[in-house]
């Protein structure tokens, strides 16, 4: 365990950049934290925190120079690996022959700065789905390979966070190269830093100002314990998957359909949702055709369109599909929950539907 | 249909409208030569006075039906066209001029015209689909020129056009646009509006005002409740939100009427 000062943080970014990493991290844009390319530690937001609630996100100045007092925006890291719009191949008609030109996988080293513990779990879930199963997405694998991750433990959880319930935070325990916990502010900013890989160890050894002392570790433990006790939401997952599996005709699905917009925001903001569709387009002469993969959602009618119509016509059926897949059938399919407790689906639902509340309502009065 | 030996004939027809959607076709600068190469433009008042007789393979119809003459003429176009595509908010919902559907037209005529007796107008402005069978609808005010090319390209290649029926929100999230409702409290019609504009207004921190009309399965009632309770809107403001370019589109019309006291 090391102590990292702000200039050491900058040194780590410098050496990553020198090694050819493209660095992505939090940025302030349009009143929210977004994930974008960052040039230096100076371009990270400072002294802001977020207030999140159902359907509501606002930033506020903290009045100090804290680095990571905010949590998550609607952006998640999945956009870097599972691209929202992905060309797959181009077909050209050449006389009587068809030439198929696949889109080359986009490689290149990436460094992610400020990945929260729940996000590490989200990346692990997407790895499992897109890279480690029977069907491997070569675009995902190529862009995910060799990613360097600087994780940040959460000392200020958001109003819709429930990572403690999902067992994914607020402390990173794996899946990072370096993890940081912010201590102090107003000129006294420093981080307790841990290495999670030989590369992380090497960078920390060169950039840190020494080993973390007993008092720093004590302070860190207190901050993280307080954060764990300060979650905006909770979800009782004991027996939840089984209860939801039996909830097919629960009246709550009809009730939530009265509020649900089926607008797809929850699924698009979710860091583990991976649904997509492919679209073919042609030019006017019919000599060129393109196939593109785009993010889709179980909340669109076309997503479940089979011959003769959509399988899930009603908003209630779509919401049920999403919630029960995320919290129940995901276990059967991938051996764990599809939810990380990040709370994005609650904050970015335009009408504030709360997955913890809906799951509880269905389970609380489940029949049989 | 006989085997195609000549280029398919495209006709563009105008009803009550501002011509903006026709201009979108002229605006396809890069693709226009390819369009002209692949199809014979048989009737297109904004582009040429030359008229080629029907029947037509594809008719693009702009504008809404607002006069008895238009209500007759549209049937002639249907009889002479294999495929009819209604283009734009006027042709697909009645357009901005459908605001009169909420008023007394005779009274409006008296207020506007010196000699209202010369005005022969229907009480309601209605979409093309209320009068004839329409094969495809292109939404928007104006239509997106890429959609025009897409529908023509799909026709020429014998495939289904890619026209989304989901919410604008999908386009915002794919593009990484910060949600103006959740982050700013701005009332936005995005959740109930059909995609196709590539989230033009939210990209500029404006709420969607519904140019592309209602999407499949819209939940206007609860969205309106949220505007009232969480975005600080009055019932009058909610009426104005839904009573815009697509005021006469059924879900938007019913929602605005619901807030009239």
């Amino acid at each position: 365990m090391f102590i990292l000062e702000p200039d050491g943080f900058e040194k780590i970014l410098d050496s990553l950049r020198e090694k050819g990493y493209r660095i992505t991290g939090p940025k302030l844009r349009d009143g929210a934290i977004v994930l974008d390319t960052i040039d230096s530690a100076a371009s990270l937001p400072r002294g802001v925190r977020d207030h999140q609630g159902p359907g509501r996100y606002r930033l506020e100045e903290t009045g100090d120079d804290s680095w990571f007092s905010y949590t998550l925006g609607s952006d998640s890291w999945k956009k870097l690996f599972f691209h929202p719009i992905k060309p797959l191949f181009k077909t050209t008609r050449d006389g009587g022959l068809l030439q198929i030109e696949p889109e080359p996988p986009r490689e290149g080293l990436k460094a992610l700065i400020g990945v929260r513990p729940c996000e590490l779990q989200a990346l692990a879930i997407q790895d499992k789905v897109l890279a480690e199963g029977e069907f491997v997405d070569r675009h995902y694998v190529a862009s995910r390979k060799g990613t360097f991750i600087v994780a940040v433990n959460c000392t200020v959880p958001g109003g819709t966070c429930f990572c403690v319930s999902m067992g994914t935070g607020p402390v990173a325990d794996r899946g990072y190269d370096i993890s940081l916990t912010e201590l102090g502010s107003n000129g006294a900013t420093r981080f307790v830093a841990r290495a999670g890989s030989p590369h992380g160890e090497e960078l920390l050894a060169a950039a840190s100002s020494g080993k973390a002392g007993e008092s720093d570790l004590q302070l860190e433990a207190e901050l993280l314990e307080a954060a764990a006790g300060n979650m905006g939401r909770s979800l009782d997952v004991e027996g939840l998957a089984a209860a939801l599996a039996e909830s097919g005709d629960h009246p709550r699905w009809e009730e939530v359909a009265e509020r649900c917009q089926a607008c797809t925001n929850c699924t698009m903001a979710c860091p583990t949702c991976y649904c997509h569709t492919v679209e073919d387009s042609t030019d006017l002469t019919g000599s060129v055709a393109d196939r593109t993969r785009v993010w889709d959602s179980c909340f669109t009618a076309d997503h479940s369109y089979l011959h003769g119509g959509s399988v899930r016509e009603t908003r209630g059926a779509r919401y049920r599909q999403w919630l029960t897949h995320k919290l129940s059938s995901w276990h059967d399919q991938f051996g764990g929950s599809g939810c990380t407790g990040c709370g994005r689906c609650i904050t970015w639902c335009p009408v504030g539907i709360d997955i913890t509340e809906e799951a509880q309502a269905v389970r609380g009065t489940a029949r049989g | 249909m006989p085997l195609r030996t000549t280029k398919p004939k495209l006709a563009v027809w105008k009803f009550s409208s501002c011509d903006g959607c026709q201009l979108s076709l002229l605006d396809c600068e890069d693709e226009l030569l390819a369009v002209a190469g692949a199809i014979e433009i048989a009737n297109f008042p904004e582009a040429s006075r030359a008229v080629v007789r029907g029947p037509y393979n594809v008719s693009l119809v702009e504008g809404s039906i607002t006069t008895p003459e238009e209500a007759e003429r549209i049937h002639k176009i249907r009889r002479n066209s294999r495929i009819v595509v209604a283009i734009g908010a006027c042709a697909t919902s009645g357009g901005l001029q459908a605001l009169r559907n909420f008023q007394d037209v005779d009274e409006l005529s008296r207020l506007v015209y010196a000699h209202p007796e010369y005005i022969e107008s229907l009480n309601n402005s209605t979409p093309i689909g209320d009068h004839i069978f329409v094969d495809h609808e292109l939404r928007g005010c104006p239509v997106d020129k890429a959609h025009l090319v897409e529908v023509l390209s799909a026709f020429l290649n014998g495939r289904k056009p890619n026209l989304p029926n989901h919410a604008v929100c999908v386009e915002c999230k794919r593009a990484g646009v910060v949600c103006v409702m959740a982050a700013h409290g701005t009332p936005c019609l995005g959740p109930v509006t059909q995609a196709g504009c590539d989230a033009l207004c939210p990209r500029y921190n404006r709420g969607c005002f519904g140019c592309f009309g209602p999407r499949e399965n819209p939940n206007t009632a609860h969205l309106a409740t949220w505007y009232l309770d969480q975005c600080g809107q009055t019932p009058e403001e909610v009426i104005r939100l839904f009573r815009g370019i697509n005021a006469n589109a059924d879900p938007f019309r019913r929602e605005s009427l619901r807030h009239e006291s």
Side-chain angles (χ1 to χ4, degrees):
Chain A
M1 280 151 300
F2 299 87
I3 281 290
L4 191 68
E5 311 270 353
D7 62 337
F9 192 105
E10 192 72 86
K11 260 187 222 165
I12 288 176
L13 297 193
D14 287 343
S15 53
L16 286 168
R17 199 175 299 104
E18 278 160 25
K19 288 177 179 165
Y21 283 87
R22 192 176 146 225
I23 302 175
T24 307
K27 244 186 189 171
L28 206 53
R29 196 188 76 211
D30 296 331
I33 298 293
V34 299
L35 301 175
D36 204 346
T37 307
I38 56 168
D39 310 321
S40 70
S43 62
L44 293 171
R46 293 281 165 77
V48 286
R49 68 160 299 179
D50 50 45
H51 291 275
Q52 303 199 32
R56 189 181 161 85
Y57 177 98
R58 295 290 187 279
L59 287 178
E60 171 194 82
E61 290 182 10
T62 56
D64 59 24
D65 66 351
S66 57
W67 286 47
F68 294 105
S69 295
Y70 50 85
T71 57
L72 309 164
S74 68
D75 258 3
S76 77
W77 304 96
K78 80 173 176 182
K79 70 177 185 179
L80 298 182
F81 309 112
F82 173 59
H83 307 128
I85 299 170
K86 180 82 213 166
L88 294 178
F89 60 77
K90 181 191 274 292
T91 309
T92 326
R93 200 199 302 270
D94 181 11
L97 287 176
L98 289 181
Q99 302 285 346
I100 296 175
E101 194 186 318
E103 175 80 8
R106 207 192 297 168
E107 288 170 3
L109 295 169
K110 291 187 189 70
L112 318 185
I113 308 299
V115 182
R116 302 304 178 137
C118 60
E119 298 287 87
L120 295 173
Q121 175 65 10
L123 288 168
I125 290 173
Q126 286 227 320
D127 286 350
K128 188 160 211 171
V129 173
L130 296 167
E132 293 161 10
E134 193 181 344
F135 304 101
V136 173
D137 173 12
R138 64 194 186 94
H139 293 286
Y140 181 89
V141 171
S143 55
R144 178 80 171 86
K145 204 171 133 191
T147 303
F148 189 91
I149 293 179
V150 178
V152 171
N153 293 323
C154 291
T155 52
V156 189
T160 55
C161 288
F162 56 104
C163 63
V164 168
S165 302
M166 303 314 293
T168 65
V171 187
D173 58 2
R174 66 202 149 89
Y176 57 82
D177 294 280
I178 293 174
S179 84
L180 304 172
T181 309
E182 183 177 357
L183 307 177
S185 64
N186 288 338
T189 300
R190 62 202 187 285
F191 301 92
V192 173
R194 288 175 180 75
S197 71
H199 190 186
E201 180 88 33
E202 175 202 320
L203 291 186
L204 271 183
S208 82
S209 49
K211 297 278 179 197
E214 199 54 47
S215 63
D216 283 330
L217 292 176
Q218 177 66 31
L219 176 58
E220 182 198 32
E222 284 167 16
L223 286 170
L224 294 174
E225 198 189 323
N230 208 11
M231 292 286 124
R233 291 281 182 288
S234 68
L235 179 64
D236 178 9
V237 294
E238 188 67 40
L240 181 63
L244 290 174
E246 300 298 319
S247 70
D249 56 357
H250 196 284
R252 184 75 178 193
W253 306 123
E254 295 283 323
E255 196 274 326
V256 74
E258 297 289 311
R259 291 173 283 133
C260 177
Q261 299 288 311
C263 62
T264 79
N265 276 303
C266 49
T267 56
M268 298 275 156
C270 176
T272 70
C273 276
Y274 54 82
C275 283
H276 54 269
T277 186
V278 288
E279 290 175 352
D280 290 342
S281 61
T282 51
D283 72 347
L284 286 158
T285 62
S287 55
V288 181
D290 296 300
R291 177 164 292 181
T292 309
R293 183 182 73 190
V294 292
W295 282 2
D296 197 17
S297 165
C298 49
F299 283 91
T300 72
D302 282 354
H303 189 69
S304 70
Y305 186 91
L306 301 176
H307 175 75
S310 179
V311 172
R312 290 184 284 275
E313 289 281 0
T314 64
R315 294 188 299 271
R318 295 177 202 172
Y319 188 86
R320 178 181 61 197
Q321 163 66 24
W322 174 68
L323 186 141
T324 56
H325 185 216
K326 194 66 56 184
L327 296 174
S328 176
S329 53
W330 203 293
H331 287 269
D332 311 323
Q333 199 178 358
F334 301 113
S337 177
C339 177
T340 67
C342 76
R344 282 191 184 86
C345 57
I346 307 171
T347 301
W348 299 97
C349 172
V351 294
I353 296 171
D354 182 339
I355 188 174
T356 63
E357 196 182 311
E358 299 309 320
Q360 195 50 46
V362 170
R363 187 256 282 284
T365 53
R367 283 164 294 173
Chain B
M1 287 292 290
L3 279 175
R4 185 193 295 172
T5 51
T6 52
K7 286 197 284 188
K9 279 194 273 186
L10 171 82
V12 183
W13 308 99
K14 175 184 159 60
F15 287 78
S16 294
S17 60
C18 75
D19 283 30
C21 291
Q22 288 189 57
L23 290 175
S24 298
L25 186 55
L26 281 182
D27 199 25
C28 294
E29 290 154 353
D30 294 339
E31 300 87 359
L32 204 56
L33 284 176
V35 170
I39 52 182
E40 180 183 6
I41 296 178
N43 182 52
F44 187 3
E46 276 284 356
S48 164
R49 274 179 295 181
V51 177
V52 179
R53 285 175 52 130
Y56 309 100
N57 297 78
V58 179
S59 277
L60 304 180
V61 180
E62 178 198 79
S64 68
I65 305 295
T66 62
T67 66
E69 181 272 329
E70 286 179 336
E72 295 257 324
R73 183 156 59 93
I74 189 63
H75 288 280
K76 218 165 121 189
I77 289 167
R78 176 72 267 186
R79 282 197 297 276
N80 270 319
S81 312
R82 185 178 158 211
I83 290 174
V84 172
V85 185
I87 61 168
C90 300
T92 58
S93 81
L96 199 59
Q97 59 272 29
L99 285 174
R100 78 190 203 198
N101 300 8
F102 301 90
Q103 309 277 333
D104 179 343
V105 173
D106 289 338
E107 192 190 328
L108 284 177
S109 292
R110 281 197 300 278
L111 283 169
V112 173
Y113 298 104
H115 288 281
E117 63 273 22
Y118 293 127
I119 303 297
E120 201 173 324
S121 197
L122 298 169
N123 282 336
N124 290 320
S125 168
T126 45
I128 301 302
D130 278 13
H131 300 263
I132 59 164
F133 174 78
V134 169
D135 296 272
H136 295 291
E137 284 192 339
L138 291 189
R139 303 282 194 83
C141 180
V143 288
D144 185 281
K145 63 179 187 178
H147 287 181
L148 271 175
V149 175
E150 168 63 15
V151 85
L152 294 177
S153 173
F155 163 72
L156 290 166
N157 290 292
R159 65 174 173 84
K160 183 173 160 277
N162 292 316
L163 297 171
N165 64 0
H166 52 239
V168 171
C169 303
V170 175
E171 294 183 322
C172 271
K173 285 290 183 286
R174 282 180 190 161
V177 174
V178 173
C179 179
V180 299
M181 264 190 74
H184 311 156
T186 304
C188 175
L189 286 172
V192 294
T193 299
Q194 182 163 300
C197 60
D198 213 12
L200 184 60
C201 292
R203 278 174 194 268
Y204 292 93
N205 282 322
R206 294 245 348 220
C208 164
F209 55 101
C211 303
F212 276 65
R215 50 166 274 236
E216 168 276 335
N217 212 338
N219 184 351
T220 53
H222 191 67
L223 190 64
T225 304
W226 194 265
Y227 293 157
L228 292 166
D229 296 347
Q230 306 290 329
C231 301
Q233 299 289 293
T234 63
E236 293 71 31
E237 287 168 321
V238 170
I239 291 171
R240 288 177 69 87
L241 274 165
F242 286 101
R243 207 168 279 179
I245 292 158
N246 285 289
N248 189 54
D250 206 40
F252 289 3
R253 186 178 52 81
R254 276 186 284 119
E255 194 56 41
S256 75
L257 288 173
R258 224 163 59 83
H259 297 272
E260 279 186 344
S261 47

